[in-house]
Amino acid sequence: MRTGGKILIDQLVGEGCRAIFTVPGESFIAALDALFDESAIRTVVCRHEGGAAMMAEATGKLTGEPGVAFVTRAPGATNAASGVYVAHHDATPMVLLVGLVERAHEGRGAFQEIDLQAMFGSVANWVGVARESERIPELVARAFQAARSGRRGPAVLGLPEDVLSATASVEGAAPLQVPAPTPSAAQMTKLKAKLSAAERPLVLLGGGGWSAEAARDIGKFAAAFDLPVAATFRRQDHLDNRHPCYVGHAGIDMDPKLAAAIRGADVLVVVGEGLGDIPTAGYTLVSAPKPAQFLVHAHPSAAEIGRVYRADLPIVTGGEAFAKALSRLKPPAKTRWSRLRRDLRASYERLLKPIPSAGRVRLEEVISTLSRQLPDDAIVTNGAGNYAGFLHRYYQYKGWPTQLAPTSGSMGYGLPAAIAAKLMYPGRPVIVLAGDGCLLMTGQELATAVQYGLPIVIIVANNAMYGTIRMHQEQRYPGRVVATTLVNPDFVAFARSFGAAAARVESTEAFEPALQRALAAKGPALIELRIDPEAISARRTLTQIRGKSP
């Protein structure tokens, strides 16, 4: 006989769970008690359920296996929704466990009661409630299967308090097998024939379910065919950016030459990406629903293929399996697109040369320094904001996994993601780049980093405003500034109050020494960059956006 809490934890161990990110709640005390004796799972105590969920999501990105967060009833579940949405949008495997009110109180509007299906039904791969202790193993296995299957994503399992405290005799359930779809020989033959006849082919890499092996296989295929390969929004680590076939980032503020190449491609091979509005510039580079390009769409979910675009060659396959199949293709004797590849690569390399921005601290030089100084295996995380445009443009990702960033555009992601990354890869440098508004969305998780002695480096670009919204505001309503100005804390004092090291940088020249000191710190270290508000984006100043450029 075991308590439901013990049954739950034992099943999580069987599923391969090695860490649970949590803010404790009385609704799952029995499960917390079971964790007391379980050495296979590390319990990471967080300061906000949104941070815990983002840590679980980042774990899923890094491992390809579901990260796990455990939160309490309605306040905990609703707080965690921000991380669940990231997992949904980014196709990341994740399991959210939610303690619920006792079964006898269900449906009566009891204290902190919540309907999980109504709350998460539109953003989760699966939502369930374990109403009998005996069914916990079955439903945990089902949650993990749902998180791993097809278009990966979050699964949510509710656990009533009395189900966790009750005892039962039940065997654990074996993890459910998830079929791994692979491309057929006929599909690969057709793809090779279309490429051999092409003049302007282009490959777009994106989506989840990637691996270092897949990145190597894609690199081998691209080199053999001399094909231009671009990464979609915040998936830049899918191919070493130094690879001669890597031609840039099909994200926000895309290189116009890359955008033209996507629009003008005669064969467009999309790998793992749902192909939404960002890599298509608002569905203008690839016409919906019938593209002008011959569209090869390789994706693990049949439901995703054809949802927006009618593919000429739809292939239901995982990214790893497709990359392996591509690496085995023999290139044609003659290609007609080598000049296109060279021109796109040269354009990408020109973009790496910093455009001087306003102010004494130039963010483009900061990012270029990071790209030069950090080792190839460093992991760089970020949330959302205009500051990230500098990172996407000037940083070169050298391998997978080295980029953790939300394609959902969720603020506050960088710090929780960095904590998860450092717990998983303690020997690798982990750097957070955040804006001032972005950092304070989850800034309390600095306490979590200090509690676990995690030497992460947090770089906060402080321009005292919500920069992205200010930019759009100035574009549409010049000079009419409202709701975008921020009064910030002293970030150095803020970090030190948690027990972290901290320094303020007020000139570009001071950044590199500050970075070296931060990397050498034994715990978390924060570097505050004082950024001129004029340096609103990697291309234009605030004055230029207002149309008053001298």
Side-chain angles (χ1 to χ4, degrees):
M1 299 292 288
R2 295 177 291 165
T3 66
K6 176 62 173 169
I7 294 169
L8 171 68
I9 300 307
D10 287 347
Q11 185 64 32
L12 290 174
V13 172
E15 293 287 347
C17 174
R18 295 297 175 262
I20 289 177
F21 301 94
T22 188
V23 175
E26 64 270 28
S27 60
F28 56 98
I29 286 288
L32 291 174
D33 182 70
L35 282 169
F36 182 84
D37 297 315
E38 185 49 70
S39 60
I41 295 179
R42 183 171 192 174
T43 305
V44 181
V45 184
C46 307
R47 299 308 177 98
H48 188 275
E49 291 88 354
M54 289 179 181
M55 292 177 206
E57 191 278 343
T59 299
K61 267 199 179 89
L62 289 167
T63 65
E65 290 294 320
V68 178
F70 208 155
V71 303
T72 198
R73 301 175 291 212
T78 52
N79 282 346
S82 57
V84 173
Y85 180 73
V86 174
H88 163 70
H89 196 281
D90 291 25
T92 304
M94 171 187 167
V95 171
L96 177 70
L97 304 173
V98 184
L100 297 178
V101 299
E102 295 181 5
R103 289 169 294 176
H105 298 164
E106 190 175 357
R108 293 177 170 176
F111 179 64
Q112 296 185 344
E113 185 179 3
I114 188 170
D115 182 335
L116 293 181
Q117 181 63 49
M119 176 71 191
F120 293 105
S122 66
V123 294
N125 286 11
W126 177 82
V127 180
V129 177
R131 291 189 171 86
E132 296 88 28
S133 304
E134 292 83 356
R135 293 195 65 191
I136 289 175
E138 168 199 348
L139 294 174
V140 169
R142 187 172 175 187
F144 273 76
Q145 182 196 39
R148 294 176 175 129
S149 298
R151 186 187 186 278
R152 300 177 183 186
V156 181
L157 178 60
L159 298 148
E161 184 175 357
D162 56 323
V163 171
L164 290 173
S165 59
T167 57
S169 178
V170 61
E171 292 184 2
L176 297 171
Q177 299 298 310
V178 178
T182 58
S184 69
Q187 288 170 330
M188 298 308 295
T189 298
K190 185 174 181 179
L191 171 57
K192 181 181 176 182
K194 292 303 296 186
L195 282 176
S196 297
E199 295 183 356
R200 301 177 307 280
L202 185 73
V203 178
L204 279 178
L205 301 179
W210 206 242
S211 69
E213 183 179 1
R216 287 192 294 270
D217 285 337
I218 283 288
K220 178 182 176 182
F221 160 70
F225 280 73
D226 200 25
L227 276 168
V229 179
T232 59
F233 186 46
R234 294 180 169 172
R235 303 293 191 179
Q236 291 161 272
D237 64 348
H238 281 30
L239 179 65
D240 188 336
N241 297 179
R242 300 167 297 182
H243 193 293
C245 291
Y246 180 81
V247 297
H249 181 217
I252 295 172
D253 199 19
M254 195 186 315
D255 176 9
K257 288 198 173 183
L258 176 57
I262 295 172
R263 181 185 287 111
D266 53 1
V267 176
L268 184 63
V269 182
V270 179
V271 185
E273 171 64 45
L275 208 59
D277 60 319
I278 292 181
T280 64
Y283 307 103
T284 62
L285 304 181
V286 183
S287 300
K290 184 64 182 81
Q293 305 91 334
F294 183 92
L295 178 61
V296 180
H297 196 178
H299 197 280
S301 172
E304 190 70 25
I305 298 175
R307 186 172 63 86
V308 178
Y309 291 103
R310 297 175 192 164
D312 298 285
L313 179 53
I315 305 176
V316 180
T317 178
E320 290 181 272
F322 189 57
K324 180 62 67 179
L326 288 172
S327 72
R328 293 170 177 158
L329 291 180
K330 292 184 179 180
K334 182 179 181 181
T335 60
R336 290 173 288 276
W337 54 78
S338 292
R339 181 175 178 179
L340 171 67
R341 197 276 306 161
R342 290 194 299 271
D343 288 348
L344 289 173
R345 176 66 189 181
S347 181
Y348 163 71
E349 291 177 347
R350 283 193 295 272
L351 288 178
L352 293 174
K353 184 178 180 180
I355 298 173
S357 59
R360 295 184 62 211
V361 179
R362 294 182 171 176
L363 195 50
E364 69 278 3
E365 296 290 353
V366 166
I367 302 304
S368 295
T369 298
L370 287 173
S371 192
R372 290 192 310 270
Q373 296 293 331
L374 293 178
D376 290 359
D377 67 347
I379 298 173
V380 180
T381 76
N382 65 272
N386 264 23
Y387 70 89
F390 290 84
L391 180 64
H392 301 331
R393 176 165 179 168
Y394 295 116
Y395 192 85
Q396 287 193 295
Y397 295 89
K398 284 84 175 177
W400 189 93
T402 55
Q403 181 180 33
L404 285 174
T407 69
S408 60
S410 298
M411 294 178 71
Y413 179 83
L415 179 54
I419 290 170
K422 196 65 179 181
L423 286 168
M424 181 162 299
Y425 295 111
R428 295 171 63 172
V430 177
I431 313 297
V432 183
L433 186 68
D436 45 351
C438 185
L439 180 65
L440 289 185
M441 291 278 182
T442 54
Q444 68 272 23
E445 298 302 344
L446 186 55
T448 306
V450 170
Q451 181 168 344
Y452 293 97
L454 303 177
I456 60 176
V457 177
I458 304 153
I459 301 170
V460 54
N462 179 9
N463 62 0
M465 62 182 171
Y466 286 125
T468 301
I469 311 307
R470 176 69 177 275
M471 178 185 70
H472 291 300
Q473 197 171 61
E474 296 284 7
Q475 286 172 333
R476 297 179 63 184
Y477 306 102
R480 296 174 62 83
V481 178
V482 60
T484 53
T485 301
L486 297 176
V487 176
N488 286 319
D490 179 330
F491 281 106
V492 170
F494 176 79
R496 288 174 178 169
S497 73
F498 285 94
R504 182 173 295 110
V505 167
E506 299 189 74
S507 69
T508 303
E509 297 72 23
F511 172 70
E512 189 169 342
L515 174 64
Q516 296 305 321
R517 291 192 298 271
L519 289 169
K522 297 187 181 301
L526 180 145
I527 301 172
E528 178 191 359
L529 307 178
R530 287 295 179 91
I531 303 297
D532 192 317
E534 276 290 303
I536 194 67
S537 77
R539 290 183 186 269
R540 296 184 296 169
T541 65
L542 269 181
T543 299
Q544 289 168 337
I545 287 171
R546 291 192 200 103
K548 298 179 181 178
S549 179

